[in-house]
Amino acid sequence: MSTSPIRDDSPLASLLPRAPRCLRLAELPTPVERAPWLDGPAAEVWVKRDDASSAVYGGGKVRKLELVLGNPPHDGDAPIVSIGGLGSHHLLALALFLRPLGRTLHAWTFDQVMTPHVRTNLAVLMSCGARLWSVRSRAALPWAALGYYVWARPPQMGRWMTPGASSPLGALGFVAAGLELAQQIEAGALPRPARVYITGGSAGSSAGLLVGLALAGVGTHLRVVSAVEPLFFNSFALRGLARKTLATLRQRGLPAQGGLDGLLARAGVTWSIDHRQVGPGYAVPTPAGAAEVERSASHGLKLETTYTGKCAAALRADLESGDARGPVLLWNTHAGNELRARIEDGWERRLPPRVRALL
Ligand SMILES: Cc1ncc(COP(=O)(O)O)c(C=O)c1O
């Protein structure tokens, strides 16, 4: 069992008679602040600073990991096996939070454009002791599985974790985030946003937030800006995970309130997905996304080109076209931590030769 402290102040505790165990890995609530450089002609923009959610590694991932690492089947001592790109924030977050627990990450990776950001993430991943099974593309991931289960067969096999920790249990971390935002609106930290922008990959953040906003009665439009192609993230995936998340809440004692659609309609919550910022593909930087990363950096807010830069670019496009009116909230799901000090000499030597050649 993990030795991390347990969170006793989760908003889930007051919602659920049988709230799941939740580790205290994050510093919550995260602040909300004005972001005037993102304002449009008819909208004031606010930012939810999940980048400041942890001194170890912030961003949205830690909200999900508090739940998934706190409960079976991922709360034991076994290594965890999961997948992502070479610069995956999910794999990085896992490696950083597993290390102090004396646990190992077995990572099945696929290649992605080797930006300086991706290289740093990979360096930290390897410095945390992660073991890699790498293939060239997402389509080739079954080969990584074969290599792992058939050829390598590590002495202690890893427990499989859904990509992005986006199981219904993980998504509960973002249900809690929706409740957290409602408390901040109530306390006057920001006005109720007409729109909330969040980026989507494996759907856990957006599905959880959708349910959380509805349960808290925050009538708004959730605009989910996809970082991946429609095949990998779409309304089917988002709706499916939101429904399963709601079912998990019911199993834990949430009084029945009809289905997802009824819940959303009663709360006045609507949602849509925007795929227009994906550009040439997942993790390929786009000029619009890169420009937002640069602009926000000059105002002290760290975004990156795979997810949050593209999300800010979508927000800007919607404000300029008049599709969005204020107030608007941009949820910054990217960790703001400076990690270079964690890189250990010789990390490259632990890479499979094919990946080392990509550096
Ligand atoms: C910085 C960042 N934001 C957002 C996401 C997407 O979240 P989700 O996978 O829950 O859709 C990711 C996923 O890896 C991410 O790294």
Side-chain angles (χ1 to χ4, degrees):
M1 292 290 275
S2 81
T3 51
S4 290
I6 302 301
R7 174 177 297 290
D8 54 11
D9 58 356
S10 167
L12 294 174
S14 42
L15 185 73
L16 301 173
R18 295 182 297 284
R21 194 159 170 269
C22 188
L23 302 185
R24 185 179 287 281
L25 301 178
E27 285 134 46
L28 303 175
T30 56
V32 276
E33 285 171 8
R34 280 277 290 119
W37 69 95
L38 290 166
D39 284 358
E44 287 196 334
V45 178
W46 300 73
V47 62
K48 179 73 169 151
R49 300 286 311 264
D50 269 12
D51 49 292
S53 61
S54 159
V56 176
Y57 191 66
K61 302 295 175 205
V62 63
R63 290 186 182 271
K64 297 189 260 184
L65 292 183
E66 283 198 339
L67 274 304
V68 289
L69 293 181
N71 293 278
H74 296 113
D75 58 345
D77 296 328
I80 284 181
V81 57
S82 198
I83 62 175
L86 283 173
S88 161
H89 302 124
H90 162 62
L91 294 178
L92 181 58
L94 262 176
L96 284 163
F97 285 109
L98 287 178
R99 190 174 212 194
L101 302 174
R103 300 178 64 186
T104 323
L105 174 66
H106 293 169
W108 303 352
T109 62
F110 53 89
D111 296 353
Q112 66 181 98
V113 180
M114 194 55 72
T115 62
H117 178 72
V118 169
R119 190 190 158 97
T120 303
N121 288 0
L122 181 60
V124 178
L125 184 78
M126 299 314 289
S127 301
C128 287
R131 291 186 61 191
L132 245 60
W133 280 260
S134 98
V135 290
R136 281 176 212 280
S137 66
R138 281 173 285 180
L141 279 168
W143 290 107
L146 207 64
Y148 185 78
Y149 288 115
V150 179
W151 288 300
R153 291 204 62 77
Q156 211 187 357
M157 296 297 277
R159 285 273 158 82
W160 168 251
M161 185 182 286
T162 319
S166 286
S167 60
L169 183 66
L172 291 191
F174 266 88
V175 172
L179 302 175
E180 174 184 309
L181 183 71
Q183 286 169 0
Q184 290 176 313
I185 296 169
E186 180 104 342
L190 77 163
R192 181 175 59 79
R195 279 190 172 213
V196 176
Y197 279 73
I198 191 166
T199 168
S202 60
S205 316
S206 46
L209 188 58
L210 186 67
V211 173
L213 291 172
L215 288 173
V218 179
T220 190
H221 181 78
L222 185 68
R223 183 78 162 153
V224 188
V225 180
S226 184
V228 297
E229 301 80 352
L231 178 66
F232 298 102
F233 179 76
N234 46 48
S235 3
F236 185 71
L238 178 53
R239 191 187 293 277
L241 187 52
R243 286 203 170 119
K244 286 185 196 154
T245 304
L246 194 54
T248 302
L249 288 164
R250 297 235 168 85
Q251 284 157 13
R252 294 194 169 264
L254 182 80
Q257 321 185 15
L260 177 69
D261 290 340
L263 174 69
L264 295 175
R266 277 194 305 281
V269 176
T270 54
W271 57 277
S272 58
I273 299 179
D274 181 357
H275 278 103
R276 290 175 299 182
Q277 300 295 330
V278 177
Y282 170 65
V284 183
T286 56
E292 294 305 332
V293 173
E294 206 172 308
R295 197 174 284 125
S296 284
S298 70
H299 294 275
L301 186 72
K302 270 196 203 171
L303 307 179
E304 42 61 66
T305 54
T306 300
Y307 289 95
T308 44
K310 289 181 178 179
C311 191
L315 163 60
R316 188 173 297 280
D318 287 354
L319 290 177
E320 281 173 3
S321 68
D323 280 356
R325 294 184 181 279
V328 171
L329 179 72
L330 173 71
W331 204 294
N332 183 14
T333 47
H334 175 51
N337 310 74
E338 175 49 67
L339 295 175
R340 272 173 295 195
R342 301 194 67 133
I343 300 175
E344 291 174 3
D345 285 345
W347 64 271
E348 301 94 332
R349 285 198 295 276
R350 300 191 46 248
L351 287 173
R354 192 190 66 77
V355 177
R356 207 178 313 140
L358 299 174
L359 296 176

